[in-house]
Amino acid sequence: MYRVVNKQALAKRLLIYFLPLLLIGVLIGAPFLLLFLGSFSLLVWHYHQLYRLSDWLLNQRSFNPPEGEGAWEQVFEGIYHLQHRNRKKRNELADLIRRFRDGAEAVPDAVVVLQRDLSIVWCNQLALKILGLQWPADHGQRLDNLIRDPKFAKYMHQEKFDEALELENTHSVEQVLEYRVMPYASSQLMVVVRDVTRLKQLEQMRKDFVANVSHELRTPLTVVTGYLEMFDGDMMPPPAIWNKAQNTMLEQCKRMDSLVNQLLSLSRIEGVRRQDNDKAINVPQLLAYIRTEAQSLNQDKGHELTFEVDTELDIKGAEDELRSAFSNLVFNAIHYTKPGGKITVSWLRVDNQAVFSVVDNGDGIAPEHINRLTERFYRVDKARSRTTGGSGLGLAITKHVLTRHDSHLQIKSKLGEGSCFSFSFSKEKLVESGNSKTLESHKSATIK
Ligand code: ADP
């Protein structure tokens, strides 16, 4: 237990030290000499203790002070206790900082702590990655010098942080970041940066979707309304005009009906995964139906249609969904290939996988469109697609169907040369039924 330095005890010590000296001095007749010698030795002894203390403070690494003697015992002990208290406080503080840093590293956002003059005090790993900061090189640098965007500088200087700031990332292209700033500690700021690119894209997709649906419905509605307004209730138009009007209105109504059906099927397949998603499907039979439909669709264009089908190759899945995936690709090839073109549809076993492909020698698709074809309503040539009755939803549906069947659509195309749309199903999806026969013998006849 640490004992506090006590004045009375010190006085008692001095008395105990000097009194005998004084008595001896009086006895031998030299009291002042003895008092002087006693004071001098006491001074030397104190200097020695001071030297030990300063040597320990400056030169020694030991946490414990040297053993104290006499009155210095309490001083050394006091220092020891102070050290101990400080060490405990330091550990607690280090613990607190570590916990804060661990917490800041665990959040999925970039965090930068700034002084009020915007110089960087600390940042987490994600900030280094997202904002391209360098540590420790950027310690003390001003953040508005490193994020070189006038909007960011303005936002930071006006000091109104109620609303978050959204900016394109100056460090990496096509990334939108959201900056939130909040007061931190007594005089610091904390900047939390979140990647909101995906959110922005979704918001844009939602807006586009509503705009597209309205637009797609408005066009046929305008046509139908136009005709209906033309006809007065009492007077029927001449039969020739009426026939044309009726055909056009019917066509437009069918168009709206097909659009609504496609939208419904899209929302259905985007919803929960179905329970009956792994029934055995007779794909060759399904393709035979599609071939018949393709034949009738192909009457005007007269393409050379070839179906190469492995008649033993069945898979597990949802029949209605797969039917639309297969037929979308086949019908698209017919629609987007000039009359007299060549279209080959194949359903084959390749390396223990079932591969479906549709190859045409149509116009092909420019590379910049290919990645966007599966977006809803995306059409390379809007006008042309509308004349084919297309809504731009076919490939979006196909993509979702395939995702639900653990597959994905591959598109290869060259402008002016043609396209190849394909997808495959893994071994686990195949229905094993005896030996698979070869393709050549089951090649369907060329349909013209
Ligand atoms: P749509 O109903 O307009 O056909 P899809 O989603 O089925 O919509 O196709 C999207 C777009 O992809 C089409 O508008 C067309 O521009 C393009 N496309 C699809 N298949 C082909 C193909 N075989 N050849 C060329 N372009 C194609």
Side-chain angles (χ1 to χ4, degrees):
M1 182 67 201
Y2 170 60
R3 283 168 287 129
V4 182
V5 180
N6 185 320
K7 279 186 206 161
Q8 280 153 3
L10 278 180
K12 215 160 112 190
R13 269 171 201 251
L14 277 178
L15 204 67
I16 293 171
Y17 178 72
F18 279 110
L19 199 63
L21 283 178
L22 188 66
L23 286 177
I24 295 170
V26 172
L27 281 178
I28 62 169
F32 290 110
L33 180 67
L34 274 197
L35 277 181
F36 170 75
L37 286 175
S39 305
F40 184 73
S41 349
L42 193 62
L43 195 67
V44 170
W45 181 80
H46 275 297
Y47 265 109
H48 174 65
Q49 299 304 327
L50 259 180
Y51 168 78
R52 284 175 72 212
L53 177 64
S54 65
D55 178 53
W56 170 72
L57 283 175
L58 300 175
N59 302 329
Q60 293 190 18
R61 306 229 156 254
S62 153
F63 178 73
N64 296 333
E67 196 73 13
E69 292 160 19
W72 285 90
E73 192 182 337
Q74 273 117 323
V75 177
F76 282 18
E77 231 175 79
I79 294 175
Y80 172 77
H81 281 279
L82 201 67
Q83 286 264 90
H84 201 72
R85 237 184 8 242
N86 282 347
R87 180 190 251 194
K88 217 167 130 198
K89 279 238 152 34
R90 217 175 37 233
N91 286 347
E92 279 170 8
L93 261 175
D95 247 17
L96 198 73
I97 293 174
R98 203 173 23 251
R99 273 210 301 277
F100 162 76
R101 291 196 172 172
D102 287 350
E105 290 296 356
V107 290
D109 303 326
V111 179
V112 188
V113 177
L114 303 177
Q115 296 289 13
R116 283 272 166 185
D117 66 356
L118 306 188
S119 58
I120 300 174
V121 176
W122 181 81
C123 68
N124 67 358
Q125 290 294 321
L126 214 56
L128 306 184
K129 200 169 150 212
I130 295 185
L131 302 174
L133 300 181
Q134 289 176 354
W135 199 257
D138 288 337
H139 178 249
Q141 296 284 337
R142 283 178 47 164
L143 190 61
D144 53 343
N145 284 342
L146 300 172
I147 299 174
R148 301 197 69 85
D149 189 317
K151 283 190 209 142
F152 180 75
K154 193 173 162 207
Y155 177 74
M156 293 305 287
H157 289 123
Q158 71 185 10
E159 296 198 357
K160 278 189 203 139
F161 302 127
D162 302 341
E163 302 244 322
L165 171 76
E166 273 177 17
L167 277 185
E168 286 213 353
N169 191 356
T170 46
H171 177 65
S172 119
V173 276
E174 287 180 15
Q175 195 179 35
V176 185
L177 300 179
E178 182 195 75
Y179 296 83
R180 282 192 176 274
V181 182
M182 51 217 88
Y184 177 68
S186 54
S187 61
Q188 294 179 336
L189 295 172
M190 184 190 276
V191 185
V192 179
V193 189
R194 200 150 52 113
D195 181 357
V196 289
T197 319
R198 181 86 190 116
L199 273 178
K200 286 260 125 199
Q201 280 170 348
L202 286 175
E203 196 184 326
Q204 192 55 44
M205 271 166 72
R206 188 186 56 78
K207 282 185 191 158
D208 289 351
F209 180 72
V210 174
N212 281 321
V213 173
S214 331
H215 180 76
E216 292 299 323
L217 287 175
R218 190 179 295 136
T219 317
L221 272 175
T222 313
V223 176
V224 175
T225 321
Y227 276 117
L228 290 176
E229 279 170 359
M230 252 170 63
F231 306 141
D232 200 307
D234 300 333
M235 241 180 55
M236 279 304 280
I241 298 185
W242 169 245
N243 280 347
K244 185 171 177 273
Q246 196 201 15
N247 280 340
T248 316
M249 285 194 288
L250 205 62
E251 208 176 89
Q252 296 302 329
C253 286
K254 277 189 190 157
R255 198 171 140 71
M256 285 191 280
D257 187 48
S258 130
L259 179 70
V260 171
N261 281 337
Q262 279 194 309
L263 281 171
L264 284 176
S265 74
L266 193 59
S267 80
R268 212 173 28 243
I269 56 175
E270 275 180 338
V272 281
R273 213 179 164 99
R274 280 169 41 168
Q275 299 295 315
D276 60 344
N277 212 21
D278 58 351
K279 283 196 174 152
I281 300 166
N282 185 341
V283 181
Q285 194 183 66
L286 191 71
L287 289 175
Y289 293 134
I290 293 174
R291 191 176 67 183
T292 313
E293 286 175 48
Q295 260 177 300
S296 78
L297 195 69
N298 189 36
Q299 266 166 6
D300 293 342
K301 291 208 161 175
H303 297 308
E304 184 185 324
L305 273 179
T306 309
F307 274 71
E308 292 177 352
V309 178
D310 181 339
T311 52
E312 301 276 325
L313 192 51
D314 293 348
I315 56 159
K316 288 175 267 182
E319 183 161 357
D320 51 343
E321 291 184 6
L322 286 171
R323 185 193 181 101
S324 75
F326 287 119
S327 59
N328 279 340
L329 299 190
V330 177
F331 299 161
N332 272 353
I334 296 176
H335 286 140
Y336 300 107
T337 303
K338 284 202 189 82
K342 223 175 147 194
I343 296 166
T344 306
V345 179
S346 58
W347 173 244
L348 307 172
R349 186 190 285 260
V350 179
D351 295 337
N352 255 336
Q353 293 199 325
V355 182
F356 178 76
S357 70
V358 180
V359 181
D360 66 57
N361 64 350
D363 295 343
I365 306 156
E368 66 268 24
H369 297 295
I370 290 183
N371 282 339
R372 303 199 57 193
L373 291 182
T374 52
E375 286 175 21
R376 297 163 182 187
F377 296 107
Y378 191 84
R379 286 167 291 194
V380 177
D381 179 347
K382 285 202 178 355
R384 179 151 171 229
S385 167
R386 259 191 218 113
T387 57
T388 66
S391 59
L393 291 173
L395 292 181
I397 293 175
T398 305
K399 177 190 158 180
H400 279 289
V401 167
L402 293 179
T403 308
R404 283 157 72 91
H405 287 81
D406 306 319
S407 177
H408 68 276
L409 183 64
Q410 285 197 320
I411 308 172
K412 286 184 193 149
S413 188
K414 251 193 172 168
L415 207 56
E417 289 184 19
S419 314
C420 170
F421 287 75
S422 65
F423 52 83
S424 58
F425 297 102
S426 63
K427 193 169 165 253
E428 294 72 47
K429 286 261 164 213
L430 306 193
V431 178
E432 294 303 342
S433 59
N435 294 329
S436 171
K437 288 179 196 156
T438 12
L439 344 156
E440 217 47 52
S441 54
H442 297 279
K443 218 179 207 180
S444 79
T446 300
I447 303 155
K448 288 191 182 165

